[in-house]
Amino acid sequence: MQNAGLAAVGLDWRYQAIETAPQDLAAAVKRLRSGTWVGANVTIPLKEVVVPLLDRLDPSAARTSAVNTIVVEAGRLAGYNTDVDGFLADLKAVWPLSAGGRALILGAGGAARAVAFGLAQHGLRLCLIARSAARASALAGDIRRMHPVDVAVAPWEKRSFAATGECRLVVNATPLGMPPNELVSPWPDEVPLPAGAFVYDLVYSPRETRLVRHARSSGLQAVTGAGMLLEQGARSFELWTGLLAPRERMRAALKQAIGEISVGRRAAHYSQTSEVRDA
Ligand code: NAP
């Protein structure tokens, strides 16, 4: 998607996926200072741990304490978060965000932070169900400090899922459903999804995740995160290049890539850090 965008605007740059283990992150970030790079994306599970390695945070990243985009600005590394606006832009296209109500977020990592801040900023009440109580409480506390919305936190247990009947929106912000967990759903089989809820699965490959299939077979509307992936990527592109992202070219390339990823994949497709290199 990014390479198609770069080619479309005539930039001789290359976007390259680099698998980066958490213990190698500091070295990977240091390499960005070499003068060869214009920026990077940071993805699961590095969006929060990368924060102290950067020189400056844009308000989008400072608010969420999570970075998905690094821009090299005169040799200094600036952290941005394009997930918030990318998620909101795609959600607004498919769901009436202004109608309010309560949203359920599964997970409390970097992407959950972006989703939670985006929804709270629009006045939605939140419920977080997460495996790590400490991460969920920290996220709830950060939101309450900045937005006057109710945030409930519940443990990752069947009874928590069963008590979400009032939620109008369900967002999966865990990697459950994405390879190598594509046969797994975050939602327990024996618990019905909230009646009438819209299901947004941040996982974008396979094309129909188990959660999305479950929702659709229960008569609910559901989408995967492919639209968000495009929108957050287009915003990253604009930060790196200063040019308007050629969205239609990027969308076509993404569609093709997701199709390819969906039919059985090498781990390299899920690399944890992807960088943009000035060739
Ligand atoms: P992250 O920071 O590592 O957070 C992952 C969250 O999922 C954590 O709360 C983690 O809990 C939880 N989790 C992991 N395995 C679990 C399990 N087996 N059971 C219950 N909870 C589990 O990752 P992230 O960056 O937020 O990414 C999360 C997902 O969103 C990934 O699939 C990523 O691809 C997707 N995403 C998509 C887009 C898009 O554009 N569509 C953008 C961003 C992210 P612990 O804290 O207990 O480990």
Side-chain angles (χ1 to χ4, degrees):
M1 172 178 84
Q2 295 292 359
N3 282 326
L6 293 169
V9 299
L11 278 172
D12 187 18
W13 296 0
R14 192 158 58 92
Y15 186 93
Q16 182 185 337
I18 299 178
E19 197 154 359
T20 307
Q23 64 272 21
D24 301 330
L25 181 64
V29 169
K30 198 171 165 198
R31 279 203 304 278
L32 293 175
R33 300 180 187 276
S34 67
T36 314
W37 304 90
V38 298
N41 277 137
V42 184
T43 187
I44 180 173
L46 305 172
K47 290 179 179 177
E48 292 160 89
V49 287
V50 77
V51 166
L53 302 173
L54 305 176
D55 301 315
R56 176 180 91 76
L57 291 186
D58 177 72
S60 60
R63 264 196 304 273
T64 52
S65 304
V67 164
N68 79 324
T69 304
I70 299 173
V71 182
V72 183
E73 295 173 345
R76 285 164 52 82
L77 303 183
Y80 292 78
N81 192 313
T82 67
D83 279 338
V84 178
D85 286 346
F87 169 70
L88 290 174
D90 191 51
L91 180 67
K92 280 180 194 162
V94 290
W95 191 72
L97 184 56
S98 54
R102 191 180 289 274
L104 170 64
I105 300 171
L106 306 179
R113 282 191 159 263
V115 168
F117 275 92
L119 294 175
Q121 165 187 323
H122 283 267
L124 270 84
R125 290 174 288 128
L126 303 178
C127 175
L128 313 177
I129 299 184
R131 189 167 67 169
S132 157
R135 259 180 129 177
S137 305
L139 173 53
D142 288 351
I143 291 173
R144 289 187 199 113
R145 264 191 294 284
M146 273 179 246
H147 297 286
V149 295
D150 178 61
V151 188
V153 175
W156 191 269
E157 291 170 8
K158 260 180 220 161
R159 63 193 165 97
S160 305
F161 287 83
T164 58
E166 68 157 313
C167 294
R168 296 183 54 242
L169 175 69
V170 175
V171 182
N172 174 36
T174 77
L176 299 178
M178 147 180 147
N181 297 313
E182 64 265 55
L183 300 179
V184 182
S185 170
W187 198 271
D189 283 341
E190 53 284 31
V191 177
L193 283 155
F198 187 92
V199 174
Y200 195 109
D201 193 345
L202 258 53
V203 174
Y204 46 80
S205 178
R207 278 190 190 199
E208 188 179 56
T209 59
R210 237 194 103 189
L211 174 62
V212 166
R213 201 159 50 245
H214 176 191
R216 288 176 180 158
S217 67
S218 308
L220 304 180
Q221 283 185 287
V223 294
T224 67
M228 172 182 174
L229 185 65
L230 173 70
E231 290 297 337
Q232 59 79 33
R235 284 163 174 75
S236 298
F237 181 102
E238 288 167 355
L239 287 170
W240 296 317
T241 65
L243 301 171
L244 201 62
R247 273 186 173 62
E248 288 321 309
R249 293 287 285 276
M250 293 173 74
R251 186 192 310 277
L254 175 61
K255 227 169 150 180
Q256 191 184 2
I258 287 180
E260 284 170 9
I261 289 171
S262 302
V263 284
R265 303 349 323 208
R266 291 188 300 118
H269 282 293
Y270 305 101
S271 295
Q272 292 167 331
T273 304
S274 314
E275 305 179 28
V276 181
R277 170 136 58 181
D278 179 350

